[in-house]
């Protein structure tokens, strides 16, 4: 099957000058495939930067490249030794800091009104974010889950959140 080259449409023109004032901090994300998926989705959604902390793998790694498909060379990223310090720096730069977590104080993703710029934190695939990081966040946000499972794969959750942020930002800034 031949691939049709991408052509800009009137709908896609609404995104041509748009950059999403959002960053992602991954803390202790253990799967390199998930890290690669974050890079790929961050590129697609126009995320400013990824911060990689804890055991989260950093490029160049073949498992990251396998799912990132080159996005790991396009999306700016920083290795972070101390995520709490990075959060304080981001907050000082005016970022809202939001944990994506199923905590008791979490807002529904669709009810959340992010204050851009925003940095969204994702944690370990099984254990989530460390309590100290959760405590340092301005907001906790949960993805609504209607089935028996209470969470998504971390990279899938990242995609849902990034594109919801893009939708909300676009609604504020595109006529």
């Amino acid at each position: 099957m031949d691939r049709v080259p991408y052509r800009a449409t009137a709908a896609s023109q609404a995104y041509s000058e748009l950059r999403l004032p959002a960053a992602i901090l991954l803390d202790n994300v253990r799967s390199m495939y998930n890290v690669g998926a974050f890079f790929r989705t961050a590129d697609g959604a126009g995320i400013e930067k990824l911060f990689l902390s804890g055991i989260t793998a950093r490029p160049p790694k073949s498992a990251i490249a396998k799912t990132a498909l080159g996005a790991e060379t396009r999306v700016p990223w920083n290795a972070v030794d101390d995520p709490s310090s990075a959060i304080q720096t981001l907050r000082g730069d005016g970022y809202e800091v939001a944990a994506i977590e199923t905590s008791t104080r979490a807002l529904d993703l669709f009810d959340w009104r992010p204050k851009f710029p925003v940095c969204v934190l994702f944690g370990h695939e099984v254990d989530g974010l460390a309590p100290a990081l959760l405590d340092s966040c301005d907001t906790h946000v949960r993805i609504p889950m209607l089935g028996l499972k209470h969470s998504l794969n971390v990279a899938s959750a990242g995609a849902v959140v990034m594109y919801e942020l893009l939708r909300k930002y676009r609604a504020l800034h595109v006529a």
Side-chain angles (χ1 to χ4, degrees):
M1 174 185 229
D2 291 333
R3 291 192 135 171
V4 177
Y6 176 78
R7 294 179 200 263
T9 63
S12 68
Q13 292 300 320
Y15 298 100
S16 65
E17 299 297 320
L18 191 64
R19 289 303 294 168
L20 184 58
I24 304 289
L25 190 148
L26 303 180
D27 186 58
N28 292 322
V29 173
R30 65 186 170 161
S31 166
M32 286 189 259
Y33 299 113
N34 283 336
V35 175
F38 267 97
F39 271 100
R40 188 168 173 187
T41 305
D43 181 54
I47 298 295
E48 290 176 333
K49 182 178 269 191
L50 288 176
F51 295 92
L52 309 175
S53 70
I55 64 168
T56 306
R58 285 95 162 135
K61 299 272 192 254
S62 62
I64 292 173
K66 182 174 180 148
T67 51
L69 295 178
E72 76 280 15
T73 65
R74 291 181 32 87
V75 175
W77 63 273
N78 278 79
V80 174
D81 292 328
D82 180 6
S84 295
S85 177
I87 289 169
Q88 293 300 6
T89 299
L90 286 161
R91 188 174 285 116
D93 290 340
Y95 282 73
E96 176 184 4
V97 179
I100 305 303
E101 193 66 67
T102 56
S103 70
T104 56
R105 71 179 236 211
L107 300 170
D108 186 293
L109 174 64
F110 301 127
D111 295 332
W112 178 40
R113 303 277 184 253
K115 297 170 194 80
F116 293 100
V118 64
C119 180
V120 184
L121 280 65
F122 293 88
H124 188 272
E125 289 90 336
V126 174
D127 300 328
L129 289 162
L133 285 180
L134 284 173
D135 290 344
S136 70
C137 291
D138 303 313
T139 309
H140 293 190
V141 178
R142 71 176 171 277
I143 297 171
M145 301 295 295
L146 305 181
L148 295 175
K149 294 295 177 186
H150 298 285
S151 66
L152 294 172
N153 164 278
V154 69
S156 297
V160 168
V161 170
M162 284 185 248
Y163 276 94
E164 179 63 6
L165 286 171
L166 178 57
R167 186 189 70 79
K168 288 178 176 177
Y169 187 75
R170 183 177 181 261
L172 293 171
H173 294 90
V174 175

